[in-house]
Amino acid sequence: TTATGVELDDGTKITANKNFILAAGAYRTPQILMLSGTGPSSTLSEHGIPLVHDSPEFGKNLHDHFAVYFAFRLRDPSQGYAFGSNHAAWQNPASFKYLPWDWVVSEPLPRDLLPKQHGLSSSSQPEKEEEPRNPYEVITLYIPPGIPGIPMDGTHIATSTMLLRPTSRGEVSIRSKNPSDNPLIQPGYLQTELDKITLTHAARQTLRAFLSTDAMRSITESEAPPQIPGLEGGTLLPPLKADSSDEEIEKRVKMTGSQHHHSGGTAAMGKVVDSCGRVIGVSRLSIVDASIVPIPLGGHPQATLYAMAEQLAHFII
């Protein structure tokens, strides 16, 4: 149960005199350690991998910021609101070096939606409650970020409507003992009623903002659904409107929603590693990537991960 070296795919072995630091991410970190004999004993036994340390929570608790992207067709593309336009605003070379966005909002879930999920009546809630963390975020993008069928020619702007506090959890495991095989990923998105309610409400707020407010009605013409081969038997998806039903919005979310590439949690602190990032049950081995973050962060994780890595480096040194 002491890390002594690293064996590469070609059989090369590398040893070290002090600590081993693993930073392979929320998908590959569990795979590497399961191949090394640390993980759920049932999984290792299934693949004929000798058990070094039984860590039943390794690979579980996968979380990500699930999101739905909307594209909105502009009434007058010549106004230069979107990437791809010939407008002077897009002639600056710096415009090609970053993600063009400048407006973001996060909001709480209305309290009348929460009792439905938790089985509470308004009268049964405590008189004094902490202000809840906002469970979703909406970003305006002046480029459709890879939405299928939506051109990047200045005719569309887009939004990302993202769950900040998903309660659904997935799992990462291994397909075989071959390190060249991809890990087995079961995302588990939208498994809880709260996640469905939250993202449906957030999507509706987005549609209302862009299609029915005085500020945006003169700019956007309609929602432009993605064009994905194979969906709906090959037929085009109908555009959503500000007054679309919950069922219509939830259906779109399930059909076209995607992760935000903020995956974490599969080597959760307190379950798989200790508060210094050291793997419980294996000495001289630390994990320093997003897999150790036990719960979803209420925002984009990059800055938090920088700070976390600095602190873990301090512990290791």
Side-chain angles (χ1 to χ4, degrees), residues 275-277 287-288 292 308-317:
S275 59
C276 294
I287 300 174
V288 298
I292 73 173
M308 184 189 80
E310 289 283 356
Q311 180 75 335
L312 293 173
H314 169 76
F315 290 148
I316 292 168
I317 292 170

Side-chain angles (χ1 to χ4, degrees), residues 164-230:
L164 291 176
R165 300 184 62 199
T167 54
S168 302
R169 295 292 184 269
E171 184 173 352
V172 174
S173 190
I174 53 176
R175 298 177 185 272
S176 73
K177 61 171 65 176
N178 184 348
S180 297
D181 286 345
N182 285 328
L184 180 63
I185 303 170
Q186 299 180 355
Y189 302 137
L190 297 182
Q191 296 298 302
T192 67
E193 195 64 24
L194 182 58
D195 285 358
K196 296 175 188 175
I197 290 173
T198 301
L199 196 51
T200 299
H201 170 78
R204 177 178 300 286
Q205 291 290 89
T206 306
L207 293 167
R208 285 175 173 169
F210 280 79
L211 298 175
S212 65
T213 60
D214 292 339
M216 293 301 296
R217 266 194 299 244
S218 62
I219 296 174
T220 56
E221 181 178 288
S222 63
E223 191 263 334
Q227 300 173 23
I228 304 175

